[in-house]
Amino acid sequence: MKLLLVMALLQGMTAYAGEVRSNGYTARFDERIETAPGDLHGETVGGIRLVRTADQALVWQENTPLRPGCGNVAAVTAINDRYMALCGHLGGRHYTQKIIFTQGSSLSMASVDQYDSPSPVRVEHNGSLAIDVLRRDLFPGELTGPHYFPTVYRLRHDDAMFGFLPSFDGDVAERYWLHYRGTRQAAPAAEVLPELLASLLAAQSGKQSICAELDTLAADLQQGRQYDAQGARTLMRTWLHKLPAVGYPAFDTQACPGRI
């Protein structure tokens, strides 16, 4: 009886979550019970192992507070013959993706915090990796949030760095337009104005002009009679000046003369 109980407990210590093979390596992301002293003692957390498939030599191991899996995004994914993606969460929120470069003798890893909205890694037409991130409130104490600000992150992989950087070029402008249109339909402009303006600033390098959208937003803010014409423009101007401080492109006033 005692032996059966011990075996049951041991089985509960580590639960298989995901494994993939790519380019001569095998990656596992397992659930486990933290046994080390500390705040996480007894909690369900994760363990990541990367081995060389040919000889099963351990090349990388990490215990992490992240539990494996991100909803529709699998715990481990072979993106192509160069990259693997691992995705984990903290209690159903705070999703994080880890990207591992598996070519050559030296492995590299980059992480991206996806907050509460996980999405899979994309391979773009030029072979680079990109991922959509909705960042939560970026101006503490100023928003009655949560507000989610869209940013496309691209993997930069060269001699200088291996990591993800925000991207606002013409190739990703359409993704910002799609987010703008979806947010526009989901809620009144006054409730999601910061996100709407962030999307427009991010999409400026695209083929479409944001000028007409700024006019429409100003008109919508006045419909509820919460703002007059001057108040609506002042509110929009305030956000258009603030958003570049958290990484968005500056508003091109010459493209929309007299709008704001």
Side-chain angles (χ1 to χ4, degrees), residues 45-207:
V45 290
I48 298 170
R49 288 173 55 87
L50 189 66
V51 302
R52 196 165 48 236
T53 306
D55 57 7
Q56 293 299 298
L58 181 65
V59 295
W60 181 57
Q61 183 171 7
E62 176 185 350
N63 287 334
T64 171
L66 295 171
R67 298 177 62 176
C70 296
N72 293 331
V73 180
V76 190
T77 304
I79 300 174
N80 52 31
D81 62 355
R82 303 177 67 201
Y83 299 102
M84 292 180 177
L86 297 88
C87 198
H89 65 92
L90 297 175
R93 299 183 63 187
H94 308 295
Y95 298 96
T96 297
Q97 295 238 27
K98 296 174 178 285
I99 309 302
I100 303 174
F101 178 66
T102 60
Q103 282 193 334
S105 57
S106 179
L107 302 179
S108 301
M109 186 187 73
S111 295
V112 182
D113 185 353
Q114 288 194 284
Y115 297 86
D116 299 337
S117 302
S119 61
V121 180
R122 300 190 311 278
V123 180
E124 300 198 311
H125 61 85
N126 61 357
S128 64
L129 302 187
I131 192 165
D132 298 330
V133 175
L134 293 178
R135 299 183 296 167
R136 283 199 302 270
D137 293 327
L138 302 181
F139 302 91
E142 297 187 26
L143 299 178
T144 56
H147 286 252
Y148 291 91
F149 296 88
T151 305
V152 176
Y153 281 82
R154 273 213 188 96
L155 181 67
R156 177 179 171 183
H157 189 183
D158 53 31
D159 294 337
M161 72 170 290
F162 180 74
F164 282 86
L165 295 174
S167 181
F168 302 103
D169 58 33
D171 289 340
V172 295
E174 180 61 25
R175 300 197 73 83
Y176 290 115
W177 276 108
L178 290 173
H179 186 270
Y180 171 80
R181 290 194 287 267
T183 305
R184 193 82 170 84
Q185 296 172 2
E191 294 182 8
V192 289
L193 184 64
E195 298 102 303
L196 292 173
L197 294 177
S199 299
L200 290 179
L201 289 179
Q204 284 182 106
S205 59
K207 297 179 181 179

